[in-house]
Amino acid sequence: MIEIQGHTHLMIGVGAGLLMSSKLGSWGIAMTAIGSLLPDLDHPKSILGRRFPLGSALGIRHRGWMHSLLGLAIFSYLTSLINPSLAPGITLGYMLHLLADSFNPAGIAWFYPISKKRIHIIGIRTGSVAEYVINLIIIFYITSLILF
């Protein structure tokens, strides 16, 4: 399966966290970054999946419920139970991960389990020139937020 690379998700999360830092605070930046990686807990080779192999150990299929609005709702709710002030960052990062995966040819099943139809917006392949250009734009953006 073709997938967006973890560092791309992480950069999107950090960039969004920095952009929203006046609302989210410094913990919000970290939570947005973590939230941007959470949907891939179901993949044993993902950034978080290598450290916490729970998803793959339980047999959770990659790009199943964790890559849907159901997964977003569950993780947002659980975070709000643990610490409500961290939920906005986790939710934003998670949502951006889903959106980014929608730009990949494999798409995601946004409405799982109601519908398993995968939706994709455009076909940016992992490791393609387009993904690297997007990464460079995000790096310049993050750098400008930090410096200016």
Side-chain angles (χ1 to χ4, degrees):
M1 180 175 295
I2 301 165
E3 299 158 358
I4 300 290
Q5 296 179 31
H7 64 269
T8 301
H9 287 301
L10 185 59
M11 287 192 300
I12 291 169
V14 169
L18 286 168
L19 180 64
M20 298 298 294
S21 64
S22 64
K23 300 282 185 200
L24 298 174
S26 55
W27 274 106
I29 298 168
M31 291 302 104
T32 304
I34 292 169
S36 72
L37 299 174
L38 280 175
D40 282 340
L41 266 173
D42 60 4
H43 194 292
K45 293 183 180 178
S46 70
I47 292 172
L48 291 181
R50 287 189 307 257
R51 289 158 184 81
F52 307 101
L54 183 64
S56 56
L58 293 174
I60 298 173
R61 188 177 59 85
H62 184 56
R63 290 205 180 186
W65 70 267
M66 291 181 74
H67 279 76
S68 70
L69 293 174
L70 174 64
L72 173 68
I74 289 170
F75 277 93
S76 297
Y77 178 70
L78 291 175
T79 304
S80 69
L81 290 178
I82 296 166
N83 186 336
S85 67
L86 302 180
I90 291 288
T91 302
L92 177 60
Y94 204 107
M95 183 66 173
L96 289 171
H97 180 113
L98 299 181
L99 184 61
D101 278 359
S102 294
F103 283 87
N104 186 275
I108 62 165
W110 279 92
F111 302 105
Y112 183 93
I114 296 167
S115 171
K116 293 182 182 179
K117 181 180 184 329
R118 292 176 178 266
I119 299 168
H120 77 276
I121 300 167
I122 57 175
I124 298 175
R125 295 190 178 278
T126 300
S128 68
V129 172
E131 183 179 10
Y132 288 109
V133 168
I134 290 168
N135 285 339
L136 284 173
I137 291 168
I138 294 169
I139 290 168
F140 286 124
Y141 168 73
I142 290 171
T143 304
S144 68
L145 286 176
I146 292 170
L147 295 178
F148 306 105

